[in-house]
Amino acid sequence: MNHIPVLLKESVHSLNIKKNGIYIDATYGCGGHTKLILSKLGNYGRIYAIDCDIKTILKYKIMDNRIIYIHNKFSNLKLILNKMIGKIDGIFFDLGISSFQLNNPKRGFSYMSNGPLDMRINQNNKITALNLLKNISEKKISEILKNYGEERYHKKIAYNIKKYILKNKLHNTYDLSNLICSTIIKNNKFKHPAKRSFQAIRIFLNKEIEELKKVLNISLELLKKNGIISIISFHSIEDRIIKNFMKKHSPYYKGNINSKLPLTEKEINYLYYKNNKFKLKIINRVFPSKNEIFKNPRARSAILRIAKKI
Ligand SMILES: C[S@@+](CC[C@H](N)C(=O)[O-])C[C@H]1O[C@@H](n2cnc3c(N)ncnc32)[C@H](O)[C@@H]1O
């Protein structure tokens, strides 16, 4: 199945595209959002299209001299685009992985098909999911499943992963998926028992949370005044980070600091905002419609957050 872009019109609309503007699509993927941005750009407009997966860029590259392709991780944006600081009109993120990556069994992201336990988004990285699981402790595996997958049975699954590794029984995605299915009690007929663990291992392996935290500050530096940051995330950990980041940079917390120590959370956030070099105005939060979720179930957990640099 081809990748269907999520919240396509809403996210591109949020960028308020100027004909000759300069934009960053930090998660190019299959080019769905870039294509729509491109259709609104004039001859002098530009898009920097970033993706850390070279196979994705090569497969979905559009030949258009207004796009500059960059194969790198988005946390390196400042290094790559240092001449563009303060010059970007909008930056867009559609976090996670595409259907192109998920549906290829060789990439090891899916518990629905069998393949090597790989899960690397950037295939230049050396460590695969299997290497990772072999080299970290049972306690660490348990922490990963709990923190990044909110998996209730994290301890039992971690114990069995290590047991399977010792017995040389863990090699591919089906081994892991079957191990999880036989470990936990299935209590939700709509969710595959291995969904949370696969997500957790992928997020940890690809340092997805660190990447996001790093790039938020960098994005603010790159944006010009009135530039837009627009981000689609797919799970609560990411959304919380984005929401808190936007709040901390915006006059969301009004009020004075007049209470005694210790300061309340609101007061700390207000101080943070006041002393911050870069400020944001929160514009909107958008969810996919029922119709979009019906047509593209992958959109189910998506949240788009939009803010403007002021
Ligand atoms: C959900 S897909 C984007 C799909 C795209 N918006 C579309 O509609 O075709 C996310 C893409 O971001 C890339 N990606 C994930 N983490 C990244 C990172 N830290 N740096 C650069 N690219 C990343 C993935 O390789 C994937 O191609």
Side-chain angles (χ1 to χ4, degrees):
M1 196 180 80
N2 281 338
H3 181 85
I4 308 172
V6 171
L7 288 165
L8 177 62
K9 283 191 188 139
E10 295 84 344
S11 52
V12 174
H13 176 77
S14 77
L15 290 168
N16 199 10
I17 305 289
K18 293 181 193 150
K19 272 213 158 326
N20 295 327
I22 302 174
Y23 294 88
I24 298 176
D25 180 349
T27 50
Y28 177 74
C30 312
H33 292 87
T34 285
K35 256 183 233 157
L36 191 59
I37 299 172
L38 209 55
S39 71
K40 297 178 187 297
L41 279 183
N43 285 343
Y44 299 103
R46 291 287 177 271
I47 306 182
Y48 290 94
I50 323 280
D51 207 295
C52 64
D53 180 2
I54 189 66
K55 287 196 173 151
T56 289
I57 298 185
L58 293 175
K59 166 113 178 135
Y60 290 99
K61 202 171 185 175
I62 310 162
M63 297 317 268
D64 188 306
N65 57 14
R66 294 168 297 170
I67 311 182
I68 301 110
Y69 289 97
I70 299 169
H71 171 225
N72 212 319
K73 50 186 184 180
F74 52 58
S75 60
N76 277 343
L77 265 180
K78 197 170 157 187
L79 292 174
I80 311 162
L81 297 180
N82 64 344
K83 290 202 179 110
M84 302 310 290
I85 287 177
K87 292 190 180 156
I88 302 291
D89 291 283
I91 181 161
F92 170 67
F93 297 85
D94 176 13
L95 298 171
I97 55 171
S98 68
S99 306
F100 167 67
Q101 294 159 317
L102 183 68
N103 296 339
N104 180 351
K106 287 188 194 146
R107 302 294 299 265
F109 291 113
S110 173
Y111 44 79
M112 307 286 274
S113 48
N114 203 12
L117 251 183
D118 190 313
M119 294 199 200
R120 288 168 301 161
I121 299 181
N122 179 351
Q123 293 191 304
N124 288 346
N125 290 340
K126 299 238 158 29
I127 300 172
T128 64
L130 185 59
N131 300 145
L132 176 82
L133 295 172
K134 282 184 175 170
N135 286 301
I136 56 177
S137 66
E138 182 185 324
K139 187 164 174 269
K140 186 71 192 170
I141 298 176
S142 167
E143 264 173 38
I144 293 171
L145 302 182
K146 183 174 169 223
N147 296 342
Y148 298 111
E150 288 161 357
E151 174 53 68
R152 255 175 79 190
Y153 301 98
H154 55 99
K155 282 190 184 155
K156 277 187 180 174
I157 299 173
Y159 173 81
N160 277 339
I161 288 179
K162 277 300 183 192
K163 198 168 100 184
Y164 271 53
I165 290 172
L166 268 176
K167 291 187 174 172
N168 199 20
K169 276 167 62 182
L170 185 66
H171 303 285
N172 52 45
T173 49
Y174 269 0
D175 295 337
L176 181 60
S177 170
N178 292 338
L179 170 168
I180 296 168
C181 292
S182 61
T183 307
I184 68 179
I185 307 149
K186 197 175 172 188
N187 53 8
N188 182 338
K189 65 177 174 182
F190 299 111
K191 270 193 184 159
H192 192 284
K195 186 176 189 304
R196 290 172 183 276
S197 300
F198 269 68
Q199 171 192 287
I201 297 168
R202 192 203 83 207
I203 291 176
F204 182 82
L205 178 74
N206 293 291
K207 299 191 170 74
E208 292 179 41
I209 301 301
E210 290 91 328
E211 277 289 299
L212 176 62
K213 283 183 179 165
K214 279 188 202 161
V215 84
L216 288 173
N217 285 313
I218 297 168
S219 302
L220 277 193
E221 287 188 49
L222 288 166
L223 285 176
K224 58 164 84 151
K225 197 171 173 237
N226 292 326
I228 302 282
I229 176 165
S230 185
I231 313 181
I232 302 173
S233 67
F234 291 86
H235 58 80
S236 55
I237 311 170
E238 285 171 345
D239 184 57
R240 207 173 311 127
I241 293 169
I242 298 161
K243 181 178 78 181
N244 288 337
F245 170 80
M246 288 186 173
K247 278 184 178 175
K248 280 186 175 177
H249 285 80
S250 74
Y252 180 85
Y253 292 103
K254 295 200 179 82
N256 293 315
I257 312 292
N258 52 20
S259 64
K260 291 177 213 136
L261 290 172
L263 297 178
T264 65
E265 196 191 325
K266 274 191 179 180
E267 288 169 330
I268 294 170
N269 281 325
Y270 179 68
L271 274 181
Y272 188 92
Y273 160 72
K274 258 183 52 175
N275 294 321
N276 220 310
K277 196 169 150 200
F278 301 114
K279 296 187 174 31
L280 282 173
K281 179 173 184 237
I282 296 174
I283 305 286
N284 208 350
R285 182 182 60 156
V286 183
F287 297 96
S289 65
K290 279 192 186 145
N291 191 26
E292 174 165 6
I293 296 170
F294 179 73
K295 286 187 186 151
N296 181 15
R298 210 180 70 83
R300 196 175 40 235
S301 44
I303 303 182
L304 167 67
R305 289 189 185 267
I306 308 145
K308 185 198 269 192
K309 184 167 166 182
I310 50 178

